[in-house]
Amino acid sequence: MNILRTGRPGANLAALRENNTAVVLGLLRDAGERGASRAELAAGAGLTPQAVSKISARLRADGLAAEAGRRTSTGGKPATAWRLLPGAAHAIGLHLDRDTVTATLVDLAGAPVATRTAPLAFGAGAPAVLDAVAAEVSALPAPAAAPDVLGVGVAAPGPLDHRCGVLHRVTGFPQWDGFPLRDALARRLGLPVVLDKDTNAAALGLLRRPHAGDRGAGSFAYLHLGTGLGAGLVLGGDVHRGARTAAGEFGHQVLRLDGPLCPCGRRGCVEVLCLRAVAEGDTPRAARLLGVAAANLVQLLDIDLVLLGGRTVLADAGRYVEGVRAELPAGVPVAVTPAAERTVVEGAAELVLAPLFGRPGPAPATTGPRPDETTIGLPGGI
């Protein structure tokens, strides 16, 4: 049985069995090797101990969970702890940048098993890009071809429509406008595929990291400066994509009305200004431009935290942090993403994994007829 993609809390109703299982799985994932007792799971999921016992039994039968020892007794019978078995299933993450493709194989806990990076000519057109992606996926270790691979999460440059899996006018590459990348990759790879903007995928992955804010509340912005400039937004504990995945087109806010022409067609966008400063070797100016744009975002949306990433930032992280911090309102911290160069590709894998643990995400394409529900199944069923 597939796990419904829903972010609701657990409920003791038969109709919500899949949702309850996802919530319990999510708690086990968060608990790590130490695991969690049935009482802890019941409290965290808002379920009765009896409901958790039934779910735990199904997870154990399906090879997804196992006992993790016993808790110290407080007077009664020591409670049995349960833990997730990360190797029970895997997911693939793909980061399609304008000049590179990175593929990673991760386990259920999101830990990378293997990662590969190769050159990519995004402007070469769909056939060449699909060939390059398929080659990298096929070169991953054996689990990439095994039945326990749940699907492929693809992080691509925006703008795009995450609901339909279609690219729009990617800055500098208008030939991709309207291309159904999600469905094309699903047919080519023979696996369910989920597509989202690279910065959204990164933000989703960062939600699992402790200092990226409380998973149930808070807000942060992930600013990615590499071959382009964009933002992933987390508001109220969830990734904010917008109805058309248009949220986070951070690089195309105009900072200078008479500025240089941007490939998007406007003038003085922060992306073109930043990239020009980078090309001229003027890192302090690039950092200040990024900081001014970040301050606009913080003041508009009341962001709690700014995280910086992307190859350009990571090449001189200290100066970018310093430059951005100087422009932000007092009390808003700024830091480099804890996942460094893995931020986007691991977030791409999380596009597949997150819904299995109770967090909603974009709809997948399957290799057969498109389902009416947004589902991705676990091996063996739940």
Side-chain angles (χ1 to χ4, degrees):
M1 183 179 294
N2 289 328
I3 294 180
L4 292 176
R5 293 187 166 204
T6 170
R8 294 169 295 185
N12 291 308
L13 299 172
L16 295 182
R17 169 178 163 178
E18 295 88 350
N19 174 59
N20 293 342
T21 303
V23 172
V24 171
L25 274 171
L27 292 171
L28 289 176
R29 189 189 195 200
D30 291 343
E33 285 294 318
R34 180 178 183 273
S37 69
R38 288 190 178 97
E40 291 166 340
L41 292 172
L47 296 168
T48 65
Q50 292 80 2
V52 169
S53 293
K54 292 179 181 179
I55 291 171
S56 300
R58 289 200 302 271
L59 294 176
R60 181 176 188 175
D62 290 328
L64 296 170
E67 291 187 5
R70 295 184 180 274
R71 294 283 189 258
T72 302
S73 174
T74 57
K77 182 179 178 181
T80 300
W82 291 82
R83 65 180 179 91
L84 182 72
L85 293 177
H90 295 80
I92 295 172
L94 287 172
H95 177 198
L96 306 187
D97 208 340
R98 291 165 174 84
D99 57 1
T100 58
V101 54
T102 302
T104 190
L105 180 73
V106 306
D107 62 22
L108 272 182
V113 175
T115 301
R116 295 177 53 86
T117 299
L120 179 71
F122 198 68
V129 169
L130 293 176
D131 285 347
V133 170
E136 290 309 301
V137 171
S138 66
L140 288 170
D148 73 345
V149 174
L150 305 174
V152 181
V154 180
L160 56 81
D161 188 330
H162 69 280
R163 301 164 305 171
C164 302
V166 173
L167 295 182
H168 290 320
R169 293 181 65 85
V170 177
T171 305
F173 301 95
Q175 67 269 34
W176 284 97
D177 190 21
F179 184 77
L181 180 61
R182 182 190 65 186
D183 292 352
L185 278 174
R187 289 191 297 269
R188 183 65 181 269
L189 300 177
L191 289 165
V193 172
V194 188
L195 174 69
D196 206 346
K197 197 158 54 175
D198 46 14
T199 49
N200 288 342
L204 180 65
L206 288 168
L207 267 171
R208 294 202 64 239
R209 296 185 176 267
H211 79 282
D214 185 338
R215 292 184 64 187
S219 63
F220 67 86
Y222 168 70
L223 307 184
H224 184 96
L225 178 59
T227 57
L229 174 60
L233 304 176
V234 169
L235 304 177
D238 285 310
V239 177
H240 178 69
R241 295 177 173 87
R244 294 163 296 280
T245 327
E249 286 301 313
F250 173 82
H252 299 294
Q253 58 173 297
V254 174
L255 293 189
R256 186 174 145 194
L257 292 177
D258 60 347
L261 184 66
C262 180
C264 77
R266 306 174 77 186
R267 287 189 174 275
C269 292
V270 63
E271 178 175 290
V272 70
L273 294 172
C274 254
L275 292 179
R276 175 173 289 192
V278 170
E280 294 172 351
D282 193 346
T283 300
R285 184 164 179 267
R288 186 183 179 195
L289 286 163
L290 184 60
V292 169
N296 290 342
L297 184 64
V298 167
Q299 291 172 322
L300 181 66
L301 298 177
D302 196 21
I303 297 293
D304 299 321
L305 169 70
V306 174
L307 294 172
L308 306 179
R311 71 175 72 163
T312 301
V313 166
L314 296 175
D316 200 348
R319 284 207 283 182
Y320 277 99
V321 168
E322 180 183 355
V324 172
R325 181 182 290 125
E327 301 296 333
L328 291 181
V332 178
V334 57
V336 175
T337 167
E341 72 278 357
R342 305 185 309 277
T343 300
V344 176
V345 74
E346 291 185 8
E350 194 67 16
L351 292 171
V352 174
L353 296 177
L356 305 176
F357 300 100
R359 185 173 292 281
T366 64
T367 55
R370 186 173 300 173
D372 293 330
E373 293 178 322
T374 305
T375 60
I376 284 182
L378 278 168
I382 292 296

